[in-house]
């Protein structure tokens, strides 16, 4: 029966520590619940009262995005100088500068906030569920919906969703390294510990964020959210995420421009002061130059690219935990993946039971149904069971057995683990006797059988050769009431085999071909039989696939295995440690490695990979370790993600190269012109307006297509490459600026206003139109893929605005004068010659360009932050004081006085 609705008197601080020192009956009484859990309406009331089980919010916050736009020290200096200019009487220029800066900040804010909203929407689609007893029966609920008093089921691979006082434990061990730094798993039981026991020694509790390493258990929730021991640490973490290689590249590029801008600004200001120009004008001009060379909208362009890519990927059933993971996915050139559901359909069907020694097939099936570690819901289906158990229970043959199963009572469970590769139960038969039933990998079960007929081994080999998955079932008499341990799995009598079918996907061969065309090498890692894996690969056209087994991997040192990985396609009967070792050794070659897996045994490899990929139906620990979640397990979808990541990187680099060539060239021209002109070559407000129009034209870059050769292999940040590009193409831009200066002074005899107007129009046209040449490495540029319609219209529209602006009523306010028609003919000729010269330089430059390096940044505290993101919500957090940042390896701070239940810290980014 479920607990009655009653006011729950919260316990004082340190709920897990206090609960561990009390008996289970006392804890249940304190929480106003029973071993059967809460009623659904009571759980809803507690959730409303205490809020979600979360330590972070992934809600997009406008003020934070706005701060990202405003925190540039250059903008602050520019606005301060404009304010001083306003005070000393130059109010028109000051107001114009303030308006242009506001428009620039607003443009970046709108685009970046839209990207944040996209990220919030994607994050909300990633589901983390747990099995809980409500209304007296097991059901799956969202982790964030847990409340104190809920009774939670734990099984192998689960991430403990809250601080639990254990009510039962069967060989339960939890890995608590995320809390204590201790690498070895901790054995758990239900015995109370002495009062005041340290968190690391709470053997009677399973703590939030830790991982079920082996066994199973059941516990009642005593603390959640920021009041859980993990929550105290996670809530104090900075919202700043660890940088990916993509973000490191962006930061280094920004530092490069800061150095360049600093040098130019200082020198220009010094020159203008020496030439006795007005101090305020010289300062504003210098700061405007610095702002002009700084790609202010680079974050907006990157965010827009990533957000647009994430929306496209989400429509293809791919979710990313962080937008920058899309670009990391594009860096991948080796993919390790499991077989089930990736190369095969993943829709496992039970085919038949193969009995031994004339026993009826129905008996083998019945034993297989009884031997499960999961509980059944009110429809008689396992809740949260493995795919093979689900296929067995869904089969038509199982329907006829369900009525008979009610006469058997399960009395003990020894859960599955990846060392034994089997699960065992003890059941009381209808006659009152006790029977041990073991079910698992055939090799493991047959080793423990007293006698195995040779015909069985032959039948097993035939099933493997046909590509079928096989589970062996064996029994032996058991002693009633005896504890079930691994030592009991001996002298078994083989009952028979359960055969399952998981055929190859019809489109798997095409997906493998697409990945190969993208330069991604696919390698299969599976715990399945080598013959089964080889048969699936053969059916998909991988006829010459070399196979290595886990035993063969153990016989190789790292040097030999590194050499063997390149020639091997299938790694079969491998352990979790084998998978992680393969990933680690492959990364040493310098390539970026992705790992696709959804099981408990995949977590180590997912953490070791550059990009971890899991599926929404995967285990908790696999989804926690992954960077990318597939709503459908499909290599074709993954190929889309790789291509999308490379397209995004290529489009980002377009903007970067534009900023380093055109902007640098124009600012270098301004510095040179200020040496010989008796006036400023362009007013500060005109420089900022030029920069705003230019950046507006570049916001359409994320919609652009890229050439096929740019997605055939990964591309990486190379600051040396960008610097060489700037040095090569910047002077080409400056050459035409100086040509414009000559035309304005010697042909049109221009004064200050006309000179500035002419250079404004020419510089905007050249630096904006050059995107058509820089966007492709093909020469001439019109041989590349056509630019997107939004990009073409935006670029041409900005050029048109720049040409028309001097003839509008705004011209006098901005310091412009109408230009003679002959000037436009000169500009058109210069643009044509400029693009031709850029094409010539492009051929020479790319012929000599070197491949970028491939660094692998250290993971830092990535695992802790990933797990903290699991306990997050898009809603507002309930008020509670945040804790200070603390190392995850020092253990949690001693519990202080806090309110019980689900109080949450203030909003912090996850």
């Amino acid at each position: 029966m479920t607990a009655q609705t009653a006011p729950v008197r919260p316990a004082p601080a340190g709920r897990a520590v206090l609960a561990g020192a009390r008996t289970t009956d006392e804890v249940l009484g304190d929480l106003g619940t029973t071993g059967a859990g809460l009623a659904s309406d009571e759980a809803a009331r507690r959730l409303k009262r205490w809020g979600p089980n979360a330590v972070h919010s992934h809600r997009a916050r406008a003020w934070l995005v706005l701060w990202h736009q405003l925190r540039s020290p250059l903008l602050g200096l520019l606005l301060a100088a404009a304010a001083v200019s306003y005070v000393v009487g130059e109010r028109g220029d000051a107001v114009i500068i303030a308006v242009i800066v506001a428009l620039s900040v607003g443009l970046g804010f709108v685009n970046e906030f839209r990207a944040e909203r996209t990220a919030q929407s994607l994050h909300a689609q990633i589901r983390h569920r747990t099995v809980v007893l409500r209304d007296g029966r097991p059901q799956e609920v969202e982790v964030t919906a847990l409340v104190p008093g809920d009774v939670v089921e734990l099984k192998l691979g689960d991430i403990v969703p809250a601080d639990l006082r254990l009510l039962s434990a069967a060989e339960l061990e939890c890995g608590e390294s995320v809390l204590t730094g201790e690498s070895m798993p901790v054995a758990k039981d239900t015995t109370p510990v002495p009062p005041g026991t340290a968190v690391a020694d709470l053997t009677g509790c399973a703590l939030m964020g830790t991982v079920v390493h082996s066994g199973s258990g059941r516990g009642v929730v005593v603390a959640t959210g920021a009041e859980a021991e993990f929550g105290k640490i996670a809530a104090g973490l900075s919202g700043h995420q660890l940088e990916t290689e993509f973000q490191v590249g962006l930061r280094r590029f920004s530092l490069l421009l800061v150095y360049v801008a600093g040098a130019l600004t200082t020198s220009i200001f010094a020159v203008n002061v020496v030439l006795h120009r007005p101090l305020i004008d010289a300062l504003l001009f210098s700061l405007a130059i610095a702002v002009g060379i700084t790609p202010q909208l680079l974050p907006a362009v990157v965010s827009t690219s990533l957000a647009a890519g994430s929306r496209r990927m989400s429509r293809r059933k791919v979710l990313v935990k962080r937008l920058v993971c899309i670009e990391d996915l594009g860096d991948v050139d080796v993919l390790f993946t499991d077989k089930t559901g990736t190369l095969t359909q993943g829709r496992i069907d039970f085919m038949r039971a193969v009995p031994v020694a004339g026993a009826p097939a129905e008996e083998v099936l019945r034993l297989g149904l009884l031997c499960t570690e999961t509980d059944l819901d009110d429809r008689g289906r396992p809740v949260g069971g493995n795919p093979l158990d689900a296929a067995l229970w869904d089969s038509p043959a199982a329907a006829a057995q369900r009525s008979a199963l009610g006469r058997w009572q399960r009395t003990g469970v020894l859960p599955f683990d990846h060392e034994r590769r089997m699960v065992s139960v003890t059941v009381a038969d209808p006659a009152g006797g006790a029977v041990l039933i073991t079910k698992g990998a055939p090799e493991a079960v047959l080793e423990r059988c007293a006698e195995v007929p040779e015909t069985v081994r032959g039948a097993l080999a035939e099933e493997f050769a046909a590509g079928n998955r096989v589970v062996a079932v064996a029994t032996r008499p058991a002693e009633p009431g005896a504890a079930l341990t691994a030592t009991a799995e001996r002298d078994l009598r083989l009952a028979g085999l359960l055969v399952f079918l998981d055929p190859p996907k019809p489109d798997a061969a095409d997906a493998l071909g697409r990945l190969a065309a993208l330069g991604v090498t696919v390698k299969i890692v599976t715990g399945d039989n080598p013959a089964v894996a080889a048969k699936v690969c053969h059916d998909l056209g991988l006829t010459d696939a070399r196979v290595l087994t886990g035993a063969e991997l153990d016989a190789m040192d790292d040097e030999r295995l590194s050499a063997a990985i390149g020639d091997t396609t299938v790694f079969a009967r491998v352990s979790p440690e084998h998978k992680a070792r393969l990933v680690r050794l492959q990364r040493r070659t310098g390539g970026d490695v992705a790992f696709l897996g959804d099981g408990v045994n995949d977590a180590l490899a997912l953490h070791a990979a550059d990009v971890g990929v899991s599926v929404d139906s995967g285990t908790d620990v696999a989804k926690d370790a992954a960077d990318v979640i597939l709503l459908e397990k499909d290599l074709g979808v993954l190929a889309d993600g790789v291509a999308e990541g490379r397209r995004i990187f290529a489009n980002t680099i377009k903007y970067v190269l534009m900023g380093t060539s055109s902007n640098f060239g124009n600012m270098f021209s301004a510095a040179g012109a200020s040496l010989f002109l008796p006036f400023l070559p362009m007013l500060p407000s005109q420089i900022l307006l030029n920069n705003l129009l230019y950046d507006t034209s570049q916001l359409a870059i994320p919609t652009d297509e890229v050439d096929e050769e740019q997605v055939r292999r990964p591309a990486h940040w190379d600051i040396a490459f960008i610097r060489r590009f700037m040095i090569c193409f910047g002077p080409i831009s400056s050459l035409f600026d100086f040509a414009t200066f000559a035309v304005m002074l010697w042909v049109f005899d221009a004064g200050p206003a006309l000179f500035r107007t002419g250079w404004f129009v020419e510089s905007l046209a050249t630096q904006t139109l050059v995107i058509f040449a820089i966007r492709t490495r093909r020469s001439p540029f019109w041989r590349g893929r056509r630019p997107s319609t939004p990009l073409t219209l935006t670029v041409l529209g900005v050029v048109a605005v720049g040409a028309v602006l001097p003839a509008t009523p705004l011209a006098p306010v901005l310091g412009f004068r109408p230009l003679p028609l002959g000037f436009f003919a000169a500009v058109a000729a210069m643009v044509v010659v400029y693009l031709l010269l850029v094409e010539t330089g492009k051929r020479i430059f790319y012929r000599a360009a070197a491949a970028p390096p491939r660094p692998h940044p250290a993971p830092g505290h990535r695992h802790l932050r990933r797990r903290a993101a699991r306990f997050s919500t898009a809603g507002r957090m309930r008020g509670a004081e945040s804790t200070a940042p603390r190392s995850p390896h020092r253990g949690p701070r001693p519990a202080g006085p806090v309110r019980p239940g689900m109080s949450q810290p203030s909003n912090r980014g996850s």
Side-chain angles (χ1 to χ4, degrees):
M1 64 186 258
T2 58
Q4 299 297 316
T5 300
V8 179
R9 182 180 179 82
R15 292 178 64 87
V17 174
L18 292 176
R22 296 168 68 81
T23 66
T24 56
D25 288 340
E26 290 172 336
V27 172
L28 292 172
D30 291 341
L31 293 167
T33 187
T34 71
L38 297 171
S40 294
D41 55 353
E42 172 62 12
R45 274 190 286 272
R46 296 189 184 193
L47 182 63
K48 184 177 181 180
R49 177 180 179 185
W50 288 316
N53 176 30
V55 296
H56 284 309
S57 169
H58 55 256
R59 181 170 54 89
R61 291 177 291 279
W63 65 267
L64 190 58
V65 176
L66 182 60
W67 167 244
H68 288 164
Q69 301 297 318
L70 295 173
R71 64 182 178 181
S72 168
L74 288 176
L75 282 181
L77 287 173
L78 184 62
L79 290 174
V84 172
S85 179
Y86 183 88
V87 171
V88 299
E90 299 180 9
R91 298 184 175 182
D93 288 344
V95 170
I96 292 172
I97 290 173
V99 169
I100 293 174
V101 170
L103 290 173
S104 178
V105 169
L107 195 62
F109 169 79
V110 169
N111 282 275
E112 199 164 345
F113 185 64
R114 287 181 59 192
E116 289 287 327
R117 293 292 297 270
T118 298
Q120 173 183 313
S121 174
L122 293 176
H123 202 301
Q125 295 181 55
I126 300 174
R127 302 298 183 188
H128 300 290
R129 306 181 71 84
T130 189
V131 177
V132 63
L133 293 181
R134 284 191 181 164
D135 302 320
R137 64 177 186 274
Q139 53 187 283
E140 289 189 320
V141 301
E142 294 288 335
V143 165
T144 54
L146 287 180
V147 296
D150 268 328
V151 175
V152 176
E153 298 280 1
L154 298 177
K155 62 180 184 301
L156 178 67
D158 281 351
I159 295 175
V160 180
D163 281 357
L164 309 178
R165 175 62 170 96
L166 292 172
L167 304 178
S168 64
E171 303 291 323
L172 180 64
E173 292 184 352
C174 292
E176 297 182 342
S177 60
V178 71
L179 281 177
T180 65
E182 175 57 51
S183 59
M184 297 300 294
V186 178
K188 299 292 183 178
D189 55 38
T190 60
T191 305
V193 297
T197 298
V199 170
D201 299 320
L202 290 179
T203 55
C205 294
L207 301 176
M208 181 189 206
T210 63
V211 179
V212 178
H213 182 268
S214 63
S216 62
R218 176 180 291 183
V220 61
V221 175
V222 296
T224 51
E227 292 183 1
E229 298 301 328
F230 177 81
K232 295 173 186 177
I233 299 174
L237 287 174
S238 167
H240 175 67
Q241 288 281 357
L242 294 168
E243 291 181 323
T244 67
E245 183 181 340
F246 179 63
Q247 291 172 308
V248 170
L250 280 176
R251 178 170 51 80
R252 290 175 178 170
F253 167 68
S254 299
L255 285 176
L256 169 66
L257 291 186
V258 166
Y259 296 144
V260 173
L264 278 177
T265 303
T266 303
S267 60
I268 292 172
F269 180 71
V271 167
N272 279 275
V273 170
V274 170
L275 295 176
H276 304 292
R277 305 273 169 77
L279 186 64
I280 293 296
D281 288 350
L283 180 60
L284 285 171
F285 180 72
S286 302
L287 291 174
I289 291 289
V291 172
I293 198 174
T294 305
Q296 290 173 269
L297 290 188
L298 178 59
V301 169
V302 172
S303 298
T304 303
S305 294
L306 295 174
S310 67
R311 285 191 292 267
R312 281 189 291 269
M313 292 176 68
S314 67
R315 288 194 291 268
R316 297 301 305 274
K317 308 295 186 182
V318 182
L319 303 179
V320 290
K321 288 185 176 179
R322 286 200 291 157
L323 294 182
V324 291
C325 295
I326 301 174
E327 197 281 331
D328 288 338
L329 189 58
D331 287 344
V332 167
D333 47 20
V334 175
L335 169 67
F336 288 94
T337 177
D338 61 359
K339 173 179 63 68
T340 304
T342 307
L343 301 180
T344 63
Q345 293 184 12
R347 190 191 69 252
I348 301 175
D349 295 320
F350 173 66
M351 296 176 62
R352 58 183 172 272
V354 179
V356 174
E362 291 78 7
E363 180 185 349
V364 180
L365 176 61
R366 182 172 65 251
L367 293 173
L369 292 169
L370 288 169
C371 190
T372 179
E373 58 186 289
T374 57
D375 291 321
L376 305 181
D377 60 18
D378 51 358
R379 295 176 297 170
R381 287 178 47 82
V383 179
N386 64 69
L388 291 176
D389 272 352
L392 194 62
W393 280 88
D394 286 341
S395 65
Q401 294 285 335
R402 290 184 181 177
S403 59
L405 294 178
R407 295 179 294 165
W408 298 70
Q409 182 179 0
R410 189 172 62 188
T411 57
V413 178
L414 188 60
F416 178 91
D417 66 55
H418 294 285
E419 295 179 1
R420 293 166 37 252
R421 292 187 293 156
M422 62 181 68
V423 58
S424 293
V425 301
T426 52
V427 296
D429 61 26
V435 179
L436 169 70
I437 308 173
T438 298
K439 180 176 71 177
E443 298 93 330
V445 174
L446 266 56
E447 285 180 359
R448 291 165 172 78
C449 289
E451 183 179 354
V452 180
E454 198 60 34
T455 55
V456 172
R457 298 188 186 276
L460 187 60
E462 290 179 3
E463 298 291 353
F464 284 152
N468 297 328
R469 301 185 64 175
V470 182
V471 171
V473 182
T475 66
R476 68 183 290 264
E479 297 182 10
L484 181 54
T485 63
T487 57
E489 296 171 331
R490 56 179 175 77
D491 300 328
L492 301 174
R493 179 187 66 84
L494 183 64
L497 308 175
L498 299 173
V499 182
F500 299 84
L501 176 65
D502 187 15
K505 284 185 175 180
D507 57 353
D510 291 339
L512 290 172
R514 287 188 58 200
L515 287 168
L518 291 169
V520 179
T521 302
V522 179
K523 298 183 181 296
I524 313 303
V525 288
T526 178
D528 213 340
N529 182 273
V532 175
K535 175 64 166 57
V536 171
C537 290
H538 182 274
D539 292 343
L540 294 175
L542 303 176
T543 54
D544 57 348
R546 180 186 176 189
V547 181
L548 284 178
T549 65
E552 292 171 320
L553 299 186
D554 289 332
M556 296 182 180
D557 58 21
D558 284 355
E559 184 176 353
R560 288 179 57 202
L561 181 54
S562 294
I565 290 176
D567 300 327
T568 305
T569 303
V570 178
F571 301 89
R573 286 298 190 217
V574 290
S575 68
E577 290 75 16
H578 289 143
K579 296 179 181 181
R581 184 186 177 201
L582 289 169
V583 170
R584 186 178 65 253
L585 293 179
Q586 180 62 40
R587 290 187 74 217
R588 290 183 184 177
T589 65
D592 279 12
V593 179
F595 187 92
L596 172 58
D598 59 359
V600 178
N601 56 340
D602 297 320
L604 289 176
L606 285 165
H607 277 305
D610 294 293
V611 181
V613 185
S614 189
V615 294
D616 194 43
S617 58
T619 60
D620 286 353
V621 71
K623 289 196 291 184
D624 169 72
D627 303 293
V628 179
I629 305 293
L630 305 182
L631 298 184
E632 291 182 1
K633 200 172 183 181
D634 186 348
L635 284 182
V637 172
L638 197 59
D640 290 338
V642 171
E644 186 64 31
R646 295 179 185 177
R647 192 187 71 83
I648 289 171
F649 183 83
N651 280 335
T652 302
I653 289 297
K654 290 176 189 177
Y655 180 83
V656 167
L657 297 182
M658 289 279 290
T660 54
S661 58
S662 301
N663 279 6
F664 174 73
N666 286 337
M667 299 308 103
F668 185 78
S669 302
S674 63
L675 293 176
F676 65 84
L677 288 176
F679 52 84
L680 292 178
M682 199 181 293
L683 296 176
S685 59
Q686 293 168 345
I687 293 175
L688 295 175
L689 179 60
N690 184 294
N691 190 53
L692 175 63
L693 291 173
Y694 164 76
D695 278 340
T696 301
S697 72
Q698 306 309 296
L699 283 176
I701 284 180
T703 67
D704 197 23
E705 298 297 330
V706 300
D707 296 329
E708 294 178 3
E709 57 267 25
Q710 290 183 275
V711 298
R712 285 178 185 164
R713 64 182 181 88
H716 302 268
W717 280 100
D718 185 359
I719 300 303
F721 170 87
I722 296 172
R723 186 168 53 245
R724 290 194 303 270
F725 192 96
M726 178 176 67
I727 295 172
C728 177
F729 291 93
I732 296 177
S733 174
S734 294
L735 181 65
F736 288 88
D737 289 335
F738 285 113
T740 302
F741 298 162
V743 168
M744 297 305 298
L745 293 175
W746 297 337
V747 176
F748 297 105
D749 194 24
L754 187 61
F755 182 94
R756 292 162 180 161
T757 305
W759 187 34
F760 178 90
V761 173
E762 179 272 337
S763 65
L764 184 62
T766 52
Q767 73 174 341
T768 304
L769 292 173
V770 77
I771 184 61
F772 294 121
I774 290 179
R775 62 176 295 275
T776 176
R777 294 191 177 191
R778 295 183 183 180
S779 185
F781 63 83
W782 53 81
R783 290 184 178 177
R785 296 191 66 176
R786 293 176 58 185
S788 68
T789 300
L791 179 63
T792 303
L793 294 177
T794 305
V795 169
L796 296 180
V798 164
V799 173
V801 169
V804 171
L805 196 57
T808 66
L810 288 175
V813 178
L814 298 171
F816 292 141
R817 283 188 57 188
L819 290 164
L821 292 178
F823 173 79
F824 290 103
V827 167
M830 282 190 288
V831 167
V832 172
V833 177
Y834 175 51
L835 293 179
L836 291 177
L837 193 56
V838 168
E839 283 298 316
T840 303
K842 196 169 68 174
R843 287 189 180 186
I844 298 172
F845 180 83
Y846 284 122
R847 193 175 296 130
R854 304 168 69 94
H856 285 107
H861 297 321
R862 182 175 69 170
H863 298 176
L864 176 63
R865 294 180 186 276
R866 277 176 169 174
R867 196 153 300 167
R870 175 184 182 82
F871 302 99
S872 65
T873 176
R876 293 183 178 274
M877 308 284 284
R878 299 292 292 267
E881 294 183 1
S882 300
T883 54
R886 189 172 176 84
S887 168
H889 303 298
R890 302 276 303 271
R893 72 185 70 217
V898 291
R899 290 185 295 112
M902 303 304 302
S903 300
Q904 305 301 326
S906 57
N907 290 329
R908 305 179 69 94
S910 61

